[in-house]
Amino acid sequence: MDYQALAQLLFPDVTETPEQLEERFPVRNVPEGAVITRMAPSPTGFVHLGNLVQGLTSERMAHQSGGVLFLRVEDTDAKREVPGAVEVLIDTLKHYGIQFDEGATHDGDSGIYGPYRQRQRASIYHVYAKRLVSEGQAYPCFCTEEELSAMREVQEANKETTGYYGKYAMWRERSMEDIQAQLNAGNPWVLRFKSMGNIENQFKFDDLVKGKLTITENNVDHVLLKSDGIPTYHFAHACDDHLMRTTHVVRGDEWLPTLPFHIQLFKALGFKLPKYVHIGPLMKMDGNSKRKLSKRKDPELALTFYKAEGFPVKAVYEYIMTILNSNFEDWRRANPDAPAETFKFSPKKLNPAGSLFDYAKLTDVSKNVISKMTAEEVYTLLTEWAQEFDPDFGAKLAADDEFATKILAIGRGGKKPRKDLAVWKDAKDYMGFFYDEYLAEPQFDEKFEKATVIEALNRFLEKFDITDDSGIWFEKVKAITTEMGFTTDMKAYKADPTAFPGTVADISTFIRQAVTGKTNSPDLYTVMQILGKDRTVERIQATIAKLK
Ligand code: GLU
């Protein structure tokens, strides 16, 4: 067979050579050890935690080493493409602190290794396709769907591995005349790789996450170019990651089964193999067993979920770090205020089997993160969230920033800040009572007579002075307690609860409920200071009136 002639027959328009492409996309001039990596998503419109895990891993590896992170859009499957998906992806990842140095952007490409959208790279793939054909390493296959399914049926009946290989590779050794006849008839064809691999052969391979792997050679003649001339993932991966000078391929471990083919393909093309970082899946506990997070069953897989719940970006970022690198938490304890980016991230610390996603843990991390923010920061983020997801609350927050910030400052700062908020969604329940429209009607403990509650509230009103400091304020609450025969001695009450109608805690609760509508609230003295004298008094009076 004259492979040169075949190459010319299949790709008459391709005049560029691989050597010219080498010049067009030169080796990057980066410091020794710099990691060049990428995110290579398919624009399906669904951005999920897995993207973030992969994104953060590649982003850290690139930027920590003084390297480059670029975005390549893998749009070879036009059927799956959703309009606007690239923009959503860029925005979402940016929101989580992942910035690309080059690649696809909102308006076109940035960088000299483009185009960064695979459909626009068809002519580049064809250069390599032509070269492979001219070397006898690839060939056209004119099999129809029917022929392929018939082949599969035979293989299944014979209990053989299914696929296009060995004696089943019908077009592997066909003559020029056969090929020409098909082309003349205008029949569609795909380009297949002519595998020289043997499944009897194994070799060792080092993956940065999985460690040492034993790989079995590939013997399948996989498709390189589909009938529309667009490459498969495999072929595009080899051509693009070579020409874009990727040093590390960070991707999901669902690609491990085709890794043997990728290794083979890089070799056939004369490309240096990049390092691979195969990330295990994200899992969750379901009863007593672990399972992969699923798009269908788990709303928490989608990144939009975290935004709608109101997890601050920083919290999600910190949490992902804790599941990716087991030493992150220790580092965080030792460096409570250091920016997360100063942590030394290592792909080697990723769990090869995948990471366990624990919602409760994320919530804890988020509480911590929020507790360390300033009131102003909380105000800004909370208001932004509420304006989008709870516009009524958002409008109230925005209408008086000073008031809201004062509320959010309660218990903040100091060694042991309060941890009331895990997500912005919690905020209304926590602080809504400051706004009259959200004030709930108190439900007093039925153990106490209404008259008792009224008496305590009236006594409080008589003594209440907004200018009191918190010490005097509490002395007054204690005075009411004893005046009413309740006790301030919690030990004595515990020893004999029948000896008193109640304690200072009950008296405080009456007042708290009258002012906040709730049995739980931030520090009541401070609440009154923020509400001011008139609103505090009004609320207590209104409660008394309702009780009567
Ligand atoms: N488009 C592939 C995917 O979304 C990319 C895998 C890779 O990073 O190479 O899974």
Side-chain angles (χ1 to χ4, degrees):
M1 163 73 90
D2 182 348
Y3 295 124
Q4 286 289 352
L6 179 60
Q8 193 54 31
L9 181 65
L10 296 176
F11 301 99
D13 300 334
V14 174
T15 52
E16 214 171 2
T17 63
E19 291 68 27
Q20 286 168 326
L21 289 175
E22 290 297 320
E23 274 173 40
R24 205 167 120 196
F25 304 107
V27 172
R28 290 173 188 265
N29 189 3
V30 287
E32 177 82 17
V35 170
I36 312 300
T37 190
R38 79 296 190 276
M39 277 193 83
S42 304
T44 61
F46 180 62
V47 193
H48 52 84
L49 269 185
N51 293 128
L52 189 56
V53 164
Q54 196 246 326
L56 270 178
T57 304
S58 20
E59 190 277 337
R60 283 295 73 213
M61 288 179 69
H63 292 155
Q64 211 166 253
S65 65
V68 175
L69 174 69
F70 64 87
L71 175 65
R72 179 173 73 227
V73 177
E74 306 220 318
D75 55 1
T76 54
D77 187 354
K79 282 195 291 299
R80 287 177 66 208
E81 190 164 342
V82 171
V86 176
E87 289 69 24
V88 170
L89 187 99
I90 295 174
D91 292 345
T92 311
L93 293 173
K94 189 168 166 202
H95 184 70
Y96 284 97
I98 299 177
Q99 289 265 34
F100 296 101
D101 305 304
E102 64 178 59
T105 71
H106 272 247
D107 24 58
D109 283 347
S110 128
I112 62 156
Y113 291 87
Y116 294 90
R117 294 169 212 244
Q118 288 181 329
R119 280 218 298 275
Q120 296 173 15
R121 299 174 64 80
S123 62
I124 295 178
Y125 307 119
H126 292 183
V127 171
Y128 289 106
K130 185 171 190 179
R131 174 62 58 90
L132 288 177
V133 174
S134 73
E135 294 170 343
Q137 298 206 82
Y139 61 92
C141 163
F142 294 87
C143 272
T144 60
E145 275 305 320
E146 293 71 35
E147 285 171 309
L148 291 175
S149 15
M151 173 189 89
R152 217 170 300 123
E153 273 168 34
V154 172
Q155 289 169 333
E156 275 163 12
N158 293 347
K159 301 216 171 352
E160 289 173 307
T161 313
T162 55
Y164 199 96
Y165 62 89
K167 63 177 189 218
Y168 293 105
M170 294 164 250
W171 280 88
R172 201 174 154 127
E173 304 294 349
R174 294 291 274 268
S175 66
M176 197 67 150
E177 291 68 40
D178 285 356
I179 293 170
Q180 185 72 67
Q182 292 282 339
L183 289 176
N184 290 348
N187 289 338
W189 55 277
V190 299
L191 188 74
R192 286 190 184 269
F193 180 66
K194 191 187 284 180
S195 174
M196 294 300 175
N198 181 342
I199 50 166
E200 302 291 319
N201 297 341
Q202 294 190 324
F203 60 97
K204 296 272 182 244
F205 181 82
D206 227 345
D207 182 272
L208 259 54
V209 176
K210 304 280 176 184
K212 276 242 172 319
L213 299 172
T214 301
I215 307 258
T216 302
E217 281 184 8
N218 164 61
N219 69 339
V220 176
D221 287 2
H222 285 291
V223 173
L224 301 175
L225 290 179
K226 297 181 267 189
S227 56
D228 55 1
I230 295 295
T232 54
Y233 165 76
H234 319 291
F235 191 43
H237 157 48
C239 298
D240 292 348
D241 281 316
H242 171 69
L243 289 179
M244 295 177 176
R245 310 296 173 178
T246 303
T247 62
H248 290 66
V249 170
V250 181
R251 65 182 181 187
D253 67 0
E254 66 273 17
W255 295 108
L256 270 182
T258 41
L259 177 64
F261 173 45
H262 300 158
I263 296 173
Q264 191 181 25
L265 195 49
F266 271 80
K267 200 159 173 208
L269 287 160
F271 297 160
K272 180 170 184 267
L273 195 67
K275 295 214 175 345
Y276 284 89
V277 180
H278 281 106
I279 303 183
L282 275 175
M283 291 179 293
K284 74 183 265 185
M285 291 309 289
D286 194 351
N288 285 330
S289 52
K290 277 188 204 170
R291 66 163 173 78
K292 277 191 203 178
L293 277 174
S294 113
K295 182 173 171 182
R296 200 166 43 81
K297 292 190 210 154
D298 307 308
E300 73 268 31
L301 186 59
L303 285 181
T304 44
F305 171 85
Y306 300 90
K307 193 168 182 216
E309 286 297 294
F311 279 100
V313 163
K314 242 195 210 168
V316 178
Y317 189 102
E318 291 265 327
Y319 177 64
I320 297 290
M321 279 294 178
T322 63
I323 59 174
L324 290 186
N325 269 206
S326 45
N327 55 330
F328 180 81
E329 266 181 289
D330 286 342
W331 174 85
R332 179 45 89 208
R333 264 189 289 275
N335 305 277
D337 302 316
E341 302 77 60
T342 55
F343 168 74
K344 181 103 186 63
F345 180 88
S346 166
K348 296 214 161 87
K349 294 237 162 52
L350 262 71
N351 186 339
S355 308
L356 189 63
F357 176 79
D358 176 358
Y359 192 78
K361 184 72 193 282
L362 165 65
T363 304
D364 270 358
V365 169
S366 193
K367 275 187 183 166
N368 261 325
V369 166
I370 296 179
S371 77
K372 284 193 207 143
M373 292 178 180
T374 62
E376 287 74 18
E377 197 179 346
V378 173
Y379 172 76
T380 307
L381 295 175
L382 168 62
T383 308
E384 233 170 62
W385 173 85
Q387 285 175 331
E388 182 170 354
F389 295 99
D390 186 348
D392 186 71
F393 186 34
K396 288 188 169 56
L397 291 166
D400 191 344
D401 58 337
E402 205 182 313
F403 180 62
T405 309
K406 264 195 220 156
I407 301 170
L408 292 166
I410 303 176
R412 212 158 272 286
K415 279 222 148 42
K416 280 209 158 202
R418 289 182 64 104
K419 296 185 180 172
D420 302 280
L421 303 175
V423 289
W424 304 134
K425 220 181 203 176
D426 295 344
K428 195 168 174 181
D429 191 41
Y430 168 70
M431 63 186 281
F433 67 84
F434 276 99
Y435 300 90
D436 293 339
E437 294 87 335
Y438 300 148
L439 182 62
E441 199 160 310
Q443 306 295 323
F444 292 101
D445 188 340
E446 288 180 0
K447 181 168 99 188
F448 299 103
E449 299 283 341
K450 279 186 183 174
T452 310
V453 179
I454 294 173
E455 184 185 342
L457 296 180
N458 274 326
R459 282 178 186 269
F460 181 78
L461 283 181
E462 275 163 32
K463 295 190 201 303
F464 178 54
D465 181 345
I466 193 78
T467 64
D468 286 343
D469 67 23
S470 64
I472 295 177
W473 179 90
F474 193 49
E475 283 311 318
K476 288 182 174 176
V477 177
K478 287 205 277 194
I480 298 167
T481 305
T482 39
E483 283 161 20
M484 290 181 61
F486 283 51
T487 184
T488 57
D489 184 345
M490 298 308 280
K491 259 196 203 147
Y493 182 75
K494 262 209 183 115
D496 181 8
T498 61
F500 311 94
T503 70
V504 66
D506 296 312
I507 299 292
S508 302
T509 302
F510 300 157
I511 305 168
R512 185 186 305 277
Q513 284 187 277
V515 176
T516 69
K518 304 174 7 147
T519 51
N520 261 318
S521 78
D523 177 61
L524 187 55
Y525 170 79
T526 315
V527 168
M528 291 183 182
Q529 290 296 314
I530 295 173
L531 279 174
K533 177 179 163 225
D534 294 346
R535 287 179 75 196
T536 302
V537 169
E538 266 164 36
R539 286 182 175 200
I540 297 176
Q541 281 171 342
T543 306
I544 294 171
K546 277 198 197 118
L547 280 168
K548 277 188 179 155

